[in-house]
Amino acid sequence: MRKPNARERILETATELFHKRGYSEVGINEIIEKAETAKASFYHYYPSKEALCEAWLSSVHEGSEIRRAEILKSPGTAASKIERYFEQLESYMISSEFRGCPYSNTCAVSDEGCGGVIELIRRHKESLRQFFREVCGQRFHDPEKAAEVGDRIFILYSGAATESQNMKDSWPIKVAAQASRDLTSP
């Protein structure tokens, strides 16, 4: 098995630390030390902590896009696809000890001066919103209705993720999943 190069070690280390403690709570020196790399290597690959955060968020986004595309293409009803996505959220929240959405957590500690980071957060959230609209398009033939219901489910999903993190429990996800089923049932 190939040993990860410095760039990969830095990103893997940052992913672990940002996820556990949050972007604002982790310093570059700690990442460099735990990634067992030189400071020059860090700055060669990532000219700033913000650039590293952008790489991290992009990596998480790519994985999310793959999972959503698989769900969209899979057989089943819109309701079953949405339910599957809520089940993935519940599994993620439990396995991460309810640390919450990396995008929401990072956004809470970033300002407009972090333009690239903020843009990635907005792009990710908009793609999630679009996912729910597309799934609802499989249920409702009227594009306006699909968009309206998709937006409602996006808000339910986002609220469920936030409250699950706040409550350190998965019941908000279960409630939001049921409300989403109600919105997409024939």
Side-chain angles (χ1 to χ4, degrees):
M1 187 169 150
R2 182 180 74 77
K3 182 180 177 185
N5 65 31
R7 181 185 188 119
E8 293 165 338
R9 287 193 318 272
I10 292 165
L11 184 56
E12 287 170 7
T13 301
T15 295
E16 180 183 332
L17 294 173
F18 290 166
H19 179 71
K20 282 184 180 175
R21 297 202 331 258
Y23 169 67
S24 66
E25 299 301 311
V26 178
I28 291 172
N29 290 333
E30 180 181 7
I31 294 167
I32 290 168
E33 179 185 327
K34 293 197 180 207
E36 298 176 352
T37 192
K39 190 174 268 196
S41 292
F42 178 91
Y43 286 107
H44 173 74
Y45 294 116
Y46 305 101
S48 65
K49 183 179 171 189
E50 182 179 317
L52 177 59
C53 183
E54 290 172 12
W56 167 58
L57 292 175
S58 292
S59 173
V60 174
H61 177 74
E62 289 168 13
S64 296
E65 287 287 286
I66 290 168
R67 285 187 299 282
R68 287 194 292 268
E70 289 170 353
I71 288 174
L72 277 171
K73 293 176 188 173
S74 67
T77 65
S80 69
K81 292 176 183 187
I82 291 168
E83 184 164 350
R84 193 169 335 135
Y85 204 68
F86 274 93
E87 287 169 356
Q88 288 179 3
L89 173 62
E90 182 177 19
S91 177
Y92 168 78
M93 291 299 281
I94 291 168
S95 69
S96 72
E97 299 176 348
F98 299 95
R99 284 187 171 76
C101 172
Y103 295 92
S104 296
N105 292 340
T106 303
C107 190
V109 297
S110 300
D111 57 31
E112 289 297 326
C114 300
V117 169
I118 297 297
E119 181 56 35
L120 285 169
I121 292 166
R122 287 181 178 143
R123 188 176 77 199
H124 176 77
K125 294 294 188 172
E126 190 57 41
S127 73
L128 179 58
R129 178 181 177 209
Q130 186 59 34
F131 164 76
F132 287 120
R133 287 174 158 210
E134 287 179 41
V135 173
C136 287
Q138 295 176 3
R139 164 66 178 91
F140 303 102
H141 298 294
D142 175 8
E144 287 182 24
K145 177 72 172 176
E148 175 189 324
V149 175
D151 286 352
R152 289 177 182 183
I153 294 172
F154 168 73
I155 295 299
L156 285 166
Y157 184 89
S158 297
T162 299
E163 292 311 317
S164 180
Q165 179 181 13
N166 291 340
M167 305 292 276
K168 306 288 187 234
D169 200 323
S170 61
W171 73 260
I173 298 168
K174 292 179 189 316
V175 170
Q178 180 60 55
S180 296
R181 278 190 300 276
D182 294 347
L183 286 170
T184 55
S185 294

